[in-house]
Amino acid sequence: MTYVTKSPWVIHYDGSSCNGCDIEVLACLTPMYDVERFGIINTGNPKHADVFLVTGSINEQNISVVRQIYEQMPEPKVVVAIGICATSGGVFRECYNIKGGVDTVIPVDVYVPGCAARPEAIIDGVVKGLGVLAEKKAAMNSALTAVSETENAEMESEPPIEIQVFGSGEAPGKEAEHE
Ligand code: SF4
């Protein structure tokens, strides 16, 4: 199990599922499966979310919604496609308005198979996603450290600022007051 230093917050969006996978996602939150034992919290606000759970395939109407939710989530973030519809278009793949799986519009980190995906598989997928989240966070931190080290090196190599000192020790114009 991935070690997490904070409670990961998940947001769930139903693309165009038959609701079978959504029921299984909700089952994960019940005392029977108790996904909260991993510290996972369900939120409705993308700006608070670390993990994006998507069920159902992508169609012409939900493309912009999926993109908007994804773009509003802060970095680092992870996307988990749940069920065969979200992973590839599934049984709706050949429909006139279906574009395909979630990865046709946003990057997907973990694919959870099944029709419907079982709660155990969903929880396993989310926990795998937490591992990806930790890797992305570590990569971001090392990139930030590299940038700040470069900035510090540039500041140290710049010539010092010359401070102009006036001969009398007074600001210009003060002489007039003494005359
Ligand atoms: S994978 Fe199956 S249960 Fe899940 S949304 Fe698609 S058709 Fe429904």
Side-chain angles (χ1 to χ4, degrees):
M1 155 89 196
T2 306
Y3 177 74
V4 286
T5 52
K6 70 184 264 296
S7 293
W9 289 37
V10 302
I11 185 165
H12 167 220
Y13 176 71
D14 167 9
S16 58
S17 88
C18 71
N19 284 150
C21 285
D22 303 303
I23 289 167
E24 303 302 342
V25 169
L26 294 179
C28 296
L29 296 165
T30 62
M32 181 157 179
Y33 294 102
D34 191 20
V35 77
E36 289 182 1
R37 74 193 126 119
F38 299 113
I40 293 164
I41 297 169
N42 191 31
T43 177
N45 188 341
K47 292 177 184 170
H48 296 166
D50 308 292
V51 183
F52 188 13
L53 309 179
V54 192
T55 53
S57 44
I58 299 297
N59 62 26
E60 294 298 332
Q61 282 195 318
N62 65 33
I63 290 173
S64 58
V65 181
V66 170
R67 279 208 184 111
Q68 262 185 34
I69 294 173
Y70 180 76
E71 281 162 14
Q72 286 182 64
M73 290 171 64
E75 294 286 354
K77 54 193 165 192
V78 160
V79 177
V80 181
I82 297 173
I84 202 67
C85 291
T87 60
S88 68
V91 292
F92 303 110
R93 192 183 175 92
E94 303 301 327
C95 288
Y96 70 95
N97 62 338
I98 295 294
K99 200 168 161 54
V102 179
D103 60 6
T104 55
V105 287
I106 56 171
V108 171
D109 300 283
V110 181
Y111 296 84
V112 178
C115 177
R118 293 181 63 81
E120 295 89 341
I122 296 170
I123 292 172
D124 191 43
V126 173
V127 171
K128 278 196 171 62
L130 299 184
V132 178
L133 191 67
E135 284 171 21
K136 287 185 177 182
K137 195 170 186 177
M140 267 180 70
N141 285 344
S142 62
L144 284 173
T145 307
V147 168
S148 84
E149 281 174 2
T150 309
E151 283 176 354
N152 286 344
E154 283 173 2
M155 281 173 67
E156 281 168 14
S157 65
E158 282 175 7
I161 299 167
E162 283 183 25
I163 299 170
Q164 194 173 358
V165 179
F166 295 102
S168 63
E170 291 179 336
K174 282 282 180 187
E175 301 86 346
E177 291 175 15
H178 299 302
E179 289 170 3

